[in-house]
């Protein structure tokens, strides 16, 4: 893949949180390590009134807040900020694109840019369908001079129908190769490492199927509430914010078949197959196997309904746990338990593969359940690493077997993943590599499955929404869900800082 010589990176919604927290820090990191095109500019566009200088000042403050201390290099930061420009205009209005075109032409001259534009939509989702249409009218999608690419944030669509409509709009304005639907979980080093763990080793793959795997857990929980994002979050809920995208990506990399070739088509074909295999949910399945919850005030932490911009009687879910299955040869009959929630005791994202017990148990296992269940924990964050639980003989007399963890920790080998997920994905897009972005058919295949849950909730107003105390592990109903498996959730102890600290229940 070739790094372009020149580029203008246009951010729609440039005065928002995402720009400050994620996009500008990612661009600065790329700049600092010399990974941006030689002739480069960022053009932020939003309604808020700034000029170039005041915008640079606000971005500078953001960089100092959101970049790790050891990444701060004042000279490089100042040089980077000199490449940042701003256009105050409303992206929902057609006239804004006349101004945008003029400003881009001016920057093309200043930067000697070969008309290469990368658009990033960091706006509220309501504008996702509007911006590409205006770009088309202004001719800003045309590739006769320079390439045009567009990155769209999640959630891509509100349900199946709106996702299909968005795909229709985007594919009318751009070719699929120009559209980069981003999910930052795929930019995480540890998520990419799942593919290496599975497909660069021979030891796991023969066991990675219904013959040896009992069940799988996928968890991505956080210890924070929704903060100042109430206005956005209340119209979305955790199914659209976390499940349909981030958890679905984790499911895909865990369950997919090995791609024949690791490239944008090979990888993404396998992702789509996973979503197409999702066993459709009946109303009865949803009633029994989908638990939604909302955090309530507890121990000094606010309840969801007390958060800013959240209606007092809101029924938006901040927690979801569910069981799902895949109808295919590899996984037929193996339950996948997935869960996500705000205001949990700790922040952790991980995948736990529970293997079936040995068929015959001839040893004593002390007070532990015997035989030992092997499990592989793939820790995405924090304490990035992999833990394999084995049964080992207790030293000394007799033959007692105890569970012991074999532990690979990035921190212990002194190589914590430092690559920022946004930096990785933005760079991939600049290079024209769409492997780690979501293709239109995958979006629709995913929605086709999750849409049934949204419909059920809508049509069944008395479907329970369980309250759970902020700071707890979520509704007890979620414990009952996994208890039907004869199991319990793998909960890391509070304030996880060490991979040995799994709470045994
Ligand atoms: C975002 C969600 O996409 O992912 C947030 O909108 C969530 O609600 C965040 O907090 C979690 O990402 P990470 O990388 O911090 O685990």
């Amino acid at each position: 893949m070739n790094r372009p010589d020149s580029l203008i990176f246009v951010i729609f919604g440039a005065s928002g949180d995402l720009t400050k927290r994620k996009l500008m820090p990612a661009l600065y990191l790329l700049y600092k390590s010399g990974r941006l095109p030689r002739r480069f500019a960022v053009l932020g566009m939003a309604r808020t009134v700034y000029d170039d200088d005041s915008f640079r000042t606000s971005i500078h403050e953001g960089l100092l807040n959101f970049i790790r201390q050891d990444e701060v290099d004042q000279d490089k930061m100042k040089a980077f900020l000199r490449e940042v420009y701003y256009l105050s205009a409303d992206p929902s209005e057609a006239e804004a694109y006349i101004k945008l075109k003029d400003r881009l032409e001016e920057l093309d001259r200043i930067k000697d840019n070969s008309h290469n534009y990368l658009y990033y939509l960091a706006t509220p989702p309501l504008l996702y369908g509007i911006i590409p249409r205006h770009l088309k009218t202004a001719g800003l999608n045309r590739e006769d001079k320079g390439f045009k690419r567009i990155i769209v944030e999640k959630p891509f669509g509100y349900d199946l129908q709106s996702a299909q409509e968005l795909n229709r709009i985007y594919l009318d304005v751009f070719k699929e190769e120009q559209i980069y639907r981003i999910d930052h979980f795929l930019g995480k080093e540890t998520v990419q490492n799942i593919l290496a763990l599975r497909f660069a080793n021979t030891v796991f793959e023969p066991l990675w199927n219904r013959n040896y795997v009992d069940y799988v857990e996928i968890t991505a929980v956080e210890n924070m509430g929704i903060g100042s994002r109430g206005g956005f979050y209340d119209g979305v809920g955790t199914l659209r914010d976390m499940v349909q995208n981030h958890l679905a990506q984790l499911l895909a990399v865990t369950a997919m078949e090995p791609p024949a070739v690791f490239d944008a088509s090979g990888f993404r074909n396998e992702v789509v197959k996973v979503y197409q295999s999702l066993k459709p949910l009946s109303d009865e399945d949803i009633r029994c196997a989908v638990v939604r919850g909302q955090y309530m005030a507890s121990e000094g932490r606010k309840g969801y309904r007390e958060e800013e911009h959240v209606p007092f009687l809101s029924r938006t879910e901040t927690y979801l746990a569910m069981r799902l299955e895949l109808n295919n040869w590899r996984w037929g009959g193996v339950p996948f338990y997935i869960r996500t929630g705000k205001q949990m005791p700790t922040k952790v994202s991980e995948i736990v593969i529970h293997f079936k017990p040995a068929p015959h148990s001839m040893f004593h296992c002390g007070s532990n359940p015997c035989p030992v269940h092997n499990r592989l924990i793939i820790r995405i964050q924090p304490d990035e690493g992999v833990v394999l639980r084995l049964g080992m003989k207790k030293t000394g007399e007799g033959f007692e077997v105890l569970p012991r963890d074999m532990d690979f920790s990035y921190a212990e080998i002194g190589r914590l993943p430092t690559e920022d997920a946004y930096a990785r994905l933005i760079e991939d897009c600049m290079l024209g590599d769409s492997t780690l972005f979501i293709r239109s058919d995958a979006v629709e295949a995913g929605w086709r499955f999750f849409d049934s849950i949204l419909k059920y909730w809508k049509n069944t107003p008395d479907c329970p929404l369980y309250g759970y105390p902020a700071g707890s592990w979520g509704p007890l109903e979620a414990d009952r869900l996994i208890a039907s498996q004869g199991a319990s959730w793998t909960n890391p102890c509070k304030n996880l800082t060490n991979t040995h600290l799994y709470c045994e229940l």
Side-chain angles (χ1 to χ4, degrees):
M1 303 265 165
N2 287 335
R3 201 171 297 276
D5 265 357
S6 62
L7 177 73
I8 299 181
F9 191 96
V10 182
I11 304 178
F12 293 97
S15 57
D17 216 40
L18 183 70
T19 304
K20 234 183 217 174
R21 281 174 180 274
K22 302 286 185 189
L23 304 186
M24 288 296 186
L27 287 168
Y28 161 74
L29 293 174
L30 291 172
Y31 178 86
K32 185 169 165 263
S33 52
R35 285 149 69 198
L36 290 180
R38 277 189 306 118
R39 303 189 304 276
F40 178 80
V42 187
L43 175 60
M45 171 168 158
R47 279 185 316 185
T48 313
V49 180
Y50 283 119
D51 56 20
D52 290 343
D53 282 339
S54 53
F55 184 58
R56 286 175 188 146
T57 307
S58 98
I59 296 302
H60 191 193
E61 279 163 17
L63 289 178
L64 295 175
N65 276 334
F66 298 114
I67 279 186
R68 279 202 334 255
Q69 216 36 45
D70 58 324
E71 296 284 10
V72 175
D73 173 330
Q74 285 296 356
D75 291 341
K76 291 234 164 101
M77 207 173 263
K78 278 187 194 136
F80 167 72
L81 287 167
R82 281 198 290 275
E83 312 295 355
V84 174
Y85 299 82
Y86 187 78
L87 171 66
S88 175
D90 182 346
S92 66
E93 288 175 359
E95 303 81 71
Y97 294 77
I98 300 167
K99 289 194 207 160
L100 175 62
K101 201 169 180 180
D102 289 347
R103 196 74 204 269
L104 284 170
E105 277 166 15
E106 182 194 336
L107 287 174
D108 281 344
R109 277 195 303 278
I110 300 174
K111 298 287 165 190
D112 190 20
N113 174 40
S114 332
H115 307 276
N116 296 329
Y117 305 146
L118 198 166
Y119 306 115
Y120 199 115
L121 267 57
T123 61
L126 266 179
L127 291 176
Y128 290 178
I130 296 173
I131 292 172
R133 287 188 180 122
H134 285 319
L135 287 171
K136 183 179 177 185
T137 311
L140 286 168
N141 60 333
R142 295 181 46 188
E143 291 200 295
D144 38 354
K145 290 195 268 166
F147 66 73
K148 310 288 176 288
R149 294 179 191 145
I150 186 160
I151 305 186
V152 197
E153 265 295 332
K154 53 148 272 273
F156 193 86
Y158 191 75
D159 54 14
L160 175 61
Q161 204 190 344
S162 57
Q164 285 171 326
E165 175 62 8
L166 272 185
N167 272 336
R168 204 187 51 69
I169 295 172
Y170 277 77
L171 290 167
D172 176 49
V173 177
F174 297 102
K175 295 192 288 286
E176 179 66 38
E177 312 83 84
Q178 295 172 272
I179 308 167
Y180 291 74
R181 299 171 194 80
I182 194 168
D183 182 319
H184 78 277
F185 265 49
L186 276 184
K188 290 181 192 278
E189 189 70 47
T190 41
V191 174
Q192 294 156 21
N193 189 45
I194 298 170
L195 299 170
L197 186 79
R198 288 191 55 199
F199 303 136
N201 298 293
T202 49
V203 287
F204 298 117
E205 207 43 27
L207 310 179
W208 209 265
N209 56 51
R210 67 181 192 285
N211 298 322
Y212 295 96
V213 174
D214 202 4
Y215 65 102
V216 178
E217 279 177 80
I218 301 180
T219 292
V221 295
E222 298 171 86
N223 51 357
M224 307 287 283
I226 48 128
S228 56
R229 297 164 74 219
F232 158 78
Y233 192 90
D234 199 64
V236 171
T238 204
L239 190 139
R240 295 183 179 94
D241 187 46
M242 291 292 292
V243 180
Q244 182 271 338
N245 28 65
H246 301 330
L247 291 187
Q249 296 303 331
L250 297 182
L251 171 72
V253 290
T254 307
M256 74 195 312
E257 294 301 318
V261 183
F262 191 72
D263 63 10
S265 306
F267 173 70
R268 299 193 300 174
N269 287 346
E270 298 307 331
V271 171
V272 175
K273 284 194 223 159
V274 173
Y275 297 156
Q276 287 170 338
S277 315
L278 281 161
K279 186 174 167 188
L281 300 168
S282 65
D283 285 358
E284 178 66 5
D285 294 333
I286 299 172
R287 204 175 55 74
C288 303
V290 180
V291 176
R292 60 174 178 166
Q294 188 187 80
Y295 60 83
M296 302 179 308
S298 171
E299 294 179 5
R301 300 201 207 187
K302 271 188 195 169
Y304 176 70
R305 292 177 182 184
E306 288 138 34
E307 301 279 14
E308 215 184 328
H309 307 304
V310 170
F312 177 60
L313 289 177
S314 167
R315 284 181 58 79
T316 297
E317 79 287 356
T318 61
Y319 175 95
L320 186 140
M322 70 180 288
R323 181 177 57 232
L324 53 84
E325 284 181 41
L326 295 169
N327 273 341
N328 60 27
W329 276 65
R330 184 186 282 267
W331 294 114
V334 178
F336 284 74
Y337 292 91
I338 65 176
R339 68 175 165 161
T340 178
K342 303 276 184 205
Q343 289 289 19
M344 304 269 107
T346 188
K347 176 171 170 101
V348 64
S349 299
E350 65 185 17
I351 296 163
V352 189
I353 314 288
H354 294 266
F355 293 94
K356 291 183 175 168
H360 169 54
S361 153
M362 43 191 178
F363 304 117
H364 297 288
C365 303
S367 57
N368 294 291
C370 204
V372 172
H373 287 240
N374 297 127
R375 69 183 183 189
L376 180 73
I377 303 182
I378 304 171
R379 181 95 45 66
I380 293 157
Q381 60 188 19
D383 290 348
E384 293 79 355
V386 178
V387 182
L388 178 62
R389 170 155 293 186
L390 303 166
M392 303 287 271
K393 182 182 171 300
K394 187 176 171 193
T395 48
E397 74 282 6
F399 264 96
E400 194 174 337
V401 171
L402 295 175
R404 289 285 174 258
D405 287 342
M406 205 163 100
D407 186 344
F408 163 76
S409 150
Y410 283 89
E412 277 171 25
I413 60 162
R415 301 226 181 97
L416 267 179
T418 48
E419 179 73 321
D420 173 84
Y422 274 90
R424 161 72 200 241
L425 294 173
I426 288 174
E427 184 177 34
D428 279 4
C429 177
M430 287 189 311
L431 298 175
D433 182 356
S434 51
T435 309
L436 297 176
F437 293 82
I438 326 300
R439 214 167 54 189
S440 56
D441 50 352
V443 173
E444 293 186 19
W447 269 123
R448 201 156 280 122
F449 175 75
F450 290 110
D451 210 34
S452 60
I453 303 177
L454 292 173
K455 283 205 176 106
Y456 179 81
W457 287 347
K458 190 167 168 213
N459 298 334
T460 320
D462 58 348
C463 167
L465 168 74
Y466 300 104
Y468 61 94
S472 72
W473 279 106
L476 293 177
E477 283 69 16
D479 294 344
R480 289 194 199 111
L481 175 71
I482 199 165
S484 61
Q485 181 75 31
S488 49
W489 295 101
T490 307
N491 288 339
C493 291
K494 220 170 173 170
N495 299 328
L496 186 72
T497 51
N498 174 316
T499 46
H500 301 285
L501 287 179
Y502 278 89
C503 305
E504 296 300 340
L505 292 163

